[in-house]
Amino acid sequence: MTWLWGCVVGPRLYKIYGHISHQVETRVYVPNVLEKIGNKIFQGLNILYNIGLYTSPFLALSLYRWEHFTLVSAIKFGTGLGLLLIVSLVFRGIGRWFNPTYTTFLSILTKAQQNSPTEKVMEPLREYEFDFSAWPVNFDWTEAETYERKPRVYVDRGLSRRKGGIISQAVMMPCQFVAWVVTVLIGKKMVYPGSIQLLQIAVDQYLLQGREKLIKEQNGLRNKVTTRDGNSIDTMLVDRRGKKQYPNGNTLVVCCEGNAGFYEVGIMTTPLEAGFSTLGWNHPGFAASTGSPYPSQEQNAVDAVMQFAIHGLGFREEEIIIYGWSIGGYASTWAAMNYPQIRGLILDATFDDILPLALPRMPACMGTIVTLAIRNHINLNPGDQLSLYYGPVTLIRRTKDEIITTDETQLRCNRSNDLVMKLMRTRYPELLCTQSTEVLLQWLSEEPPLQGAIMGEWGVDGDLCSTLLATYITEHGQLYPSTIGEDMTANDKTKLVLYLASKYLLDFNSPHNNPLDSCYFRKPWLPLTDSSYVQVD
């Protein structure tokens, strides 16, 4: 009876991986008739539940106005759905019980769940593709507590925590309540559409195919990582350490996806093509990852992933590059400022602050509510977090970006420019005089050909600027001496500002959603060296 119950509540099995002549082959798991019927009913009920959840306000209003609707009819309807659910589970359980393929899988899964799974225990389980909710935990946050860690760094701009603020306290409380309701109902879904269950159901097959491709073609290893707040994060590792055909394999790239991105079909492709070891993960509430993509849960998720990379996989912090695309820049910059010894940070099509992007896309009358909702509940501010990271950075700007801009016809309105400005103000405050700031803003408003003309007009000599920078670094013993420029003329400051900006910024002639070509995947620039581009074999 216990075994039958295990078949009833066990995870759904999709595919089976096998190794034939050193190649990974896949065969689809074929359920018998009873299990098929049970799966179809259960899937239909799940879709019905999600549709009802997202349309609940309209559904409740319709039922309220329907004169034939009574409590008795509601109970009958609910009872009917409950019986249908029970029938689906019974059919599925009996069907699995008589399927030797499923019972073999269930035996392997049960063994892995009963122990702290070593890779030897996990090896036979990795032969199966099944519901991730049943996947054993490979790295728990509590495992990281045994290691000495520095206190975590936070950047908070919540309006409710300010004294006075921009809104009077008399109006603040009701506005805050409305902002919270708007955030829960629509705000989070607008900022992170990838967390919408119906969307995930629609793309489920594409995610399954993408995961299969990573496992078959890249020898990817799926792992479950738990966070400090109890969420389970779905991760995918492609480990290329010690492989001669991958000279960059000893460096791990941790990928942080966009607001509708998943590691299965996301930005992992770029560092993989460049020959790196790569670790992808899905935001809380995305696909198999549990939770919701609020800032605190995002922080805990990327923190757990970094701990997994360091203490679970054995990569040193200095061997890790963090790569964030679009809204993934929030998690990326948070991780960078909390793990400052990383090899570098790469931000692709990332903004400095979500509020200037959100306000123009909402009705003007909702400005106050939007501001409160963003600042107090979805305060994504990569620019402020980048200001607290003093390691190597590459900022990739999409010159045809239609998303992270307030006016897609004007390159000067691209919010990547604001990231550059914040970076320069933080690291080289003495270089930004009135003249150098104006010239830098002009340079940021142009595409590469005209940028080169501006640098030529000002006589920027790369070798001379590099030598000057090296002199300051040697004298002060810092890679980013804040005093550099205090004894320079305005013209010299302008030349050095343009030189530094050209080292940090890389333009990619593309709209927002196109995959980044691997030839643009640049190792973040380090002062005292001219090695910038990744060597791709």
Side-chain angles (χ1 to χ4, degrees):
M1 199 67 185
T2 304
W3 193 251
L4 176 60
W5 177 247
C7 292
V8 171
V9 300
R12 187 171 178 181
L13 182 58
Y14 299 97
K15 295 186 178 182
I16 303 167
Y17 300 108
H19 293 79
I20 303 176
S21 300
H22 304 288
Q23 297 292 323
V24 179
E25 299 293 335
T26 306
R27 61 185 177 93
V28 177
Y29 167 70
V30 182
N32 55 30
V33 176
L34 283 177
E35 186 179 352
K36 278 184 180 178
I37 294 173
N39 285 339
K40 290 292 184 183
I41 297 174
F42 191 83
Q43 187 178 18
L45 290 174
N46 186 42
I47 293 174
L48 188 64
Y49 167 77
N50 280 286
I51 292 175
L53 182 66
Y54 289 107
T55 61
S56 54
F58 306 101
L59 190 62
L61 183 61
S62 300
L63 292 176
Y64 176 76
R65 291 180 175 178
W66 186 26
E67 58 182 11
H68 299 292
F69 177 76
T70 62
L71 180 60
V72 174
S73 61
I75 293 174
K76 288 181 178 179
F77 181 72
T79 303
L81 291 179
L83 289 174
L84 197 59
L85 176 62
I86 292 173
V87 168
S88 71
L89 293 175
V90 170
F91 277 24
R92 188 173 71 175
I94 294 175
R96 289 172 172 176
W97 195 15
F98 288 100
N99 190 327
T101 301
Y102 191 87
T103 54
T104 300
F105 154 71
L106 188 60
S107 176
I108 294 171
L109 175 62
T110 303
K111 181 181 178 181
Q113 289 176 331
Q114 289 175 347
N115 303 283
S116 179
T118 61
E119 191 53 42
K120 185 177 180 180
V121 173
M122 286 296 301
E123 189 173 345
L125 189 60
R126 294 191 188 280
E127 302 282 329
Y128 298 91
E129 175 74 46
F130 57 96
D131 289 334
F132 193 67
S133 57
W135 192 276
V137 174
N138 301 106
F139 183 83
D140 191 284
W141 167 257
T142 56
E143 296 179 41
E145 293 180 350
T146 59
Y147 301 97
E148 184 178 350
R149 298 195 59 214
K150 296 179 180 178
R152 300 197 300 176
V153 181
Y154 296 93
V155 176
D156 188 6
R157 291 170 60 178
L159 294 180
S160 64
R161 297 168 181 78
R162 295 181 180 180
K163 293 182 179 180
I166 62 172
I167 306 170
S168 66
Q169 292 298 320
V171 190
M172 182 71 81
M173 290 305 294
C175 286
Q176 285 180 346
F177 176 74
V178 173
W180 175 77
V181 172
V182 169
T183 301
V184 172
L185 294 180
I186 63 171
K188 183 191 68 174
K189 297 175 180 63
M190 291 180 66
V191 175
Y192 284 99
S195 65
I196 300 174
Q197 288 295 316
L198 286 176
L199 173 64
Q200 294 183 30
I201 292 173
V203 302
D204 183 64
Q205 284 302 311
Y206 295 103
L207 300 185
L208 185 59
Q209 292 169 12
R211 195 159 53 246
E212 178 184 342
K213 185 176 180 181
L214 286 168
I215 293 171
K216 288 179 62 175
E217 298 180 7
Q218 306 291 348
N219 294 315
L221 297 177
R222 198 179 190 189
N223 292 282
K224 178 183 283 189
V225 175
T226 60
T227 67
R228 128 188 346 250
D229 49 6
N231 287 332
S232 296
I233 304 301
D234 185 7
T235 72
M236 179 64 71
L237 168 70
V238 176
D239 193 345
R240 290 171 167 172
R241 283 175 289 187
K243 297 181 179 179
K244 294 181 179 180
Q245 66 270 38
Y246 299 114
N248 296 315
N250 289 332
T251 299
L252 178 71
V253 178
V254 176
C255 298
C256 303
E257 298 287 345
N259 66 358
F262 305 86
Y263 75 69
E264 292 90 339
V265 290
I267 62 175
M268 282 185 69
T269 305
T270 299
L272 285 176
E273 289 179 353
F276 287 94
S277 292
T278 306
L279 178 62
W281 59 281
N282 283 333
H283 297 283
F286 279 51
S289 294
T290 63
S292 255
Y294 289 107
S296 61
Q297 295 188 41
E298 283 281 291
Q299 295 166 6
N300 289 329
V302 73
D303 199 14
V305 169
M306 289 295 293
Q307 287 295 303
F308 172 56
I310 296 169
H311 300 304
L313 301 177
F315 284 92
R316 292 184 296 111
E317 195 170 322
E318 297 82 1
E319 296 172 333
I320 297 175
I321 292 175
I322 300 177
Y323 172 34
W325 172 62
S326 191
I327 212 169
Y330 176 76
S332 299
T333 52
W334 190 92
M337 72 178 182
N338 280 279
Y339 295 87
Q341 301 304 316
I342 58 172
R343 172 60 184 83
L345 172 66
I346 299 175
L347 298 177
D348 177 16
T350 297
F351 52 88
D352 64 314
D353 186 1
I354 196 172
L355 184 59
L357 296 172
L359 287 173
R361 290 167 169 80
M362 299 296 289
C365 61
M366 291 189 64
T368 297
I369 299 300
V370 171
T371 300
L372 283 170
I374 293 292
R375 287 291 181 246
N376 291 334
H377 304 293
I378 322 177
N379 189 32
L380 306 180
N381 51 349
D384 292 338
Q385 295 181 157
L386 180 62
S387 297
L388 295 178
Y389 168 66
Y390 282 85
V393 181
T394 292
L395 304 176
I396 300 173
R397 180 178 65 170
R398 307 286 184 109
T399 57
K400 299 294 186 295
D401 204 310
E402 72 283 14
I403 302 298
I404 62 156
T405 180
T406 52
D407 183 353
E408 60 183 284
T409 65
Q410 302 291 327
L411 189 56
R412 61 182 175 81
C413 297
N414 188 303
R415 298 300 297 192
S416 290
N417 299 339
D418 298 86
L419 275 181
V420 176
M421 293 303 299
K422 286 194 174 185
L423 185 72
M424 298 297 291
R425 289 193 185 100
T426 301
R427 297 191 176 187
Y428 312 103
E430 296 294 335
L431 287 177
L432 290 178
C433 62
T434 302
Q435 175 182 289
S436 62
T437 301
E438 290 178 354
V439 174
L440 178 57
L441 289 172
Q442 179 190 358
W443 184 82
L444 289 171
S445 301
E446 305 292 351
E447 295 195 27
L450 291 178
Q451 287 179 344
I454 293 174
M455 294 180 73
E457 178 184 338
W458 281 93
V460 178
D461 186 325
D463 292 335
L464 183 60
C465 289
S466 178
T467 301
L468 180 61
L469 189 61
T471 302
Y472 270 89
I473 291 172
T474 303
E475 289 178 355
H476 293 81
Q478 299 175 332
L479 279 178
Y480 310 100
S482 59
T483 56
I484 185 171
E486 60 184 4
D487 54 352
M488 290 184 183
T489 64
N491 285 354
D492 288 339
K493 290 181 180 180
T494 302
K495 293 176 184 179
L496 194 52
V497 161
L498 291 175
Y499 168 79
L500 290 168
S502 70
K503 289 295 184 180
Y504 289 119
L505 182 67
L506 178 63
D507 278 325
F508 179 37
N509 186 26
S510 166
H512 188 76
N513 291 313
N514 286 355
L516 180 68
D517 194 304
S518 60
C519 69
Y520 284 88
F521 197 79
R522 176 177 290 189
K523 278 185 177 177
W525 171 69
L526 272 171
L528 303 182
T529 176
D530 290 325
S531 58
S532 297
Y533 285 99
V534 170
Q535 181 66 38
V536 182
D537 293 335

